[in-house]
Amino acid sequence: QEAFEMAGYLGDDPLVELIISFFDEQFFADNPSRHDSSYWNYYESTKPDRTVPTGYVSILDAVIAQHSSIANTIQYNSKVIRIDATSHTGKVLVTYKKRIPQPSDLSAVAIHELADEDASDGCNDLNEDDETKWVRHTVEANNVICTASLGVLRSGKIQFAPPMPAPMQHAVDTLLFGIANKVALFFDDHDTQRVLRSIRTNYIMRTSTVANPRVNDGLMVFINDMHVRRQPVILSFFQGDYARQLDGLTKQQVVDRHMIALREIFSGPSINATLPDPVKYKISNWSRNNFGGVYTTEGINSTPADFAALKAPIGLFHNVYLAGEHAAYPYNGYVHGAMISGKEAAAAIIAK
């Protein structure tokens, strides 16, 4: 809520109000120690973080439900490959390829069950290189807002005609697309549930990793999901060089490394409990999928002007816009930045 207030997007905006309504309040009402740790004093915010217990997809589902006319126009399992704004008619042609359903396809439930250990996170399951499993379509539009990530833009998987202006291409090439991943560890024993429930904070901190070289690995903060989803789940977020390091490990090795760090915490005097092995786990691999990363940040040779360049319209009639967290400076890297960027692009089209 504070983020939207700072950006001037609070008040009579129904979309913002809808998003805020999904964020869990009960945990933070019960957990005044949220800001006790000096680790988080780096942030200027005076209000706590929020989480969406049911996942961001619930927000999208709610938006679609409120605008049922668009529900049947959304193309799933599809990838845009060309945006052509060279027509003198002022129309934009968008070419995309849609995956042909295969007899061997698993149901969504089956994919979810397998994803805990053996399957990918779903982003690589479209067999992009096998053209026999795709069919191409072209749609015509007056205006286009392209929300592909910086990683996709940099990959060249979407062809722009005319090409991106030089300042925009420079921004795409210069800004950094950061790597971040997360691990979810699921437990089912009553002792772990009791311990996690007794920890009156969302963050489980490690105070030192120097004494034990086995755990001097960058794993400093874990998320106690017991207070949010009411389930015995521990989450870990890691990024940068450490995320790249974990890319070279098997999933079981990643889990083992996390368990070493967690057991160091749980065996300490502040908790003094034994942590069993997880019954299952889920590991994201955003650094290796088709998106190539997670968030945009400044590179050594980049400036705020690069973010501004990403907002410049493209095409003969200036009717193609980029939007997303990468075009939302100074809110790049954040969900509310992505939404604000999309609203700004839409407003620019309406104002034409």
Side-chain angles (χ1 to χ4, degrees), residues 44 202 266 315:
E44 297 179 358
N202 199 19
F266 274 67

Side-chain angles (χ1 to χ4, degrees), residues 1-3 5 34-35 44-50:
Q1 180 173 338
E2 184 182 32
E5 288 175 351
R34 158 64 177 82
H35 283 286
E44 297 179 358
S45 173
T46 58
K47 297 183 180 180
D49 290 337
R50 293 288 186 258

Side-chain angles (χ1 to χ4, degrees), residues 23-312:
F23 283 69
D24 180 72
E25 297 284 349
Q26 183 63 38
F27 163 69
F28 294 102
D30 294 339
N31 180 33
S33 63
R34 158 64 177 82
H35 283 286
D36 285 353
S37 172
S38 60
Y39 180 91
W40 297 103
N41 288 347
Y42 171 82
Y43 298 98
E44 297 179 358
S45 173
T46 58
K47 297 183 180 180
D49 290 337
R50 293 288 186 258
T51 187
V52 187
T54 52
Y56 282 121
V57 68
S58 58
I59 298 177
L60 298 177
D61 289 341
V63 172
I64 293 173
Q66 290 188 2
H67 302 82
S68 57
S69 61
I70 69 172
N72 294 328
T73 66
I74 299 174
Q75 298 297 323
Y76 297 97
N77 291 333
S78 302
K79 292 178 179 288
V80 173
I81 57 177
R82 180 177 172 84
I83 299 176
D84 189 335
T86 60
S87 173
H88 290 281
T89 65
K91 300 294 185 179
V92 183
L93 299 179
V94 178
T95 302
Y96 67 94
K97 57 182 184 180
K98 185 176 180 65
R99 185 174 185 267
I100 303 172
Q102 303 296 312
S104 60
D105 284 351
L106 296 172
S107 68
V109 174
I111 290 175
H112 175 73
E113 293 298 326
L114 289 175
D116 292 324
E117 181 171 357
D118 297 320
S120 74
D121 61 4
C123 298
N124 289 331
D125 293 338
L126 300 183
N127 299 313
E128 185 175 7
D129 295 331
D130 188 350
E131 289 295 335
T132 64
K133 296 183 179 180
W134 300 83
V135 59
R136 298 194 177 199
H137 301 270
T138 299
V139 295
E140 186 180 77
N142 294 323
N143 298 276
V144 169
I145 300 176
C146 175
T147 60
S149 71
L150 181 69
V152 172
L153 296 175
R154 182 174 295 167
S155 71
K157 293 178 179 178
I158 300 177
Q159 180 183 5
F160 288 88
M164 293 181 183
M168 180 179 289
Q169 187 63 59
H170 178 269
V172 169
D173 295 337
T174 304
L175 292 171
L176 298 182
F177 201 42
I179 295 176
N181 279 310
K182 59 184 177 180
V183 172
L185 303 172
F186 300 81
F187 302 88
D188 65 352
D189 61 291
H190 293 295
D191 286 342
T192 301
Q193 293 185 40
R194 176 184 54 80
V195 170
L196 292 178
R197 193 176 292 112
S198 68
I199 301 174
R200 301 302 299 162
T201 177
N202 199 19
Y203 296 95
I204 305 174
M205 307 291 297
R206 291 173 71 192
T207 58
S208 174
T209 59
V210 177
N212 188 346
R214 293 183 305 163
V215 293
N216 189 10
D217 51 19
L219 291 172
M220 293 295 293
V221 180
F222 294 88
I223 310 299
N224 178 11
D225 215 26
M226 191 72 188
H227 297 298
V228 178
R229 292 176 179 82
R230 314 298 189 253
Q231 297 177 3
V233 178
I234 298 177
L235 300 175
S236 169
F237 294 85
F238 45 92
Q239 57 191 11
D241 291 340
Y242 186 62
R244 293 184 179 89
Q245 178 185 345
L246 293 190
D247 273 347
L249 303 180
T250 66
K251 290 187 176 182
Q252 186 59 55
Q253 288 174 326
V254 172
V255 172
D256 291 344
R257 183 170 291 195
H258 279 69
M259 290 306 299
I260 290 174
L262 280 168
R263 284 176 174 138
E264 177 196 13
I265 300 173
F266 274 67
S267 63
S270 60
I271 300 179
N272 192 23
T274 300
L275 188 65
D277 290 332
V279 294
K280 63 179 180 178
Y281 55 81
K282 176 65 189 282
I283 304 174
S284 67
N285 63 345
W286 290 100
S287 56
R288 291 182 290 178
N289 62 23
N290 292 326
F291 300 102
V294 178
Y295 64 94
T296 303
T297 188
E298 297 88 339
I300 295 177
N301 297 317
S302 60
T303 69
D306 290 314
F307 291 97
L310 293 176
K311 297 183 179 183

Side-chain angles (χ1 to χ4, degrees), residues 306-320:
D306 290 314
F307 291 97
L310 293 176
K311 297 183 179 183
I314 309 171
L316 295 181
F317 290 83
H318 305 292
N319 49 359
V320 176

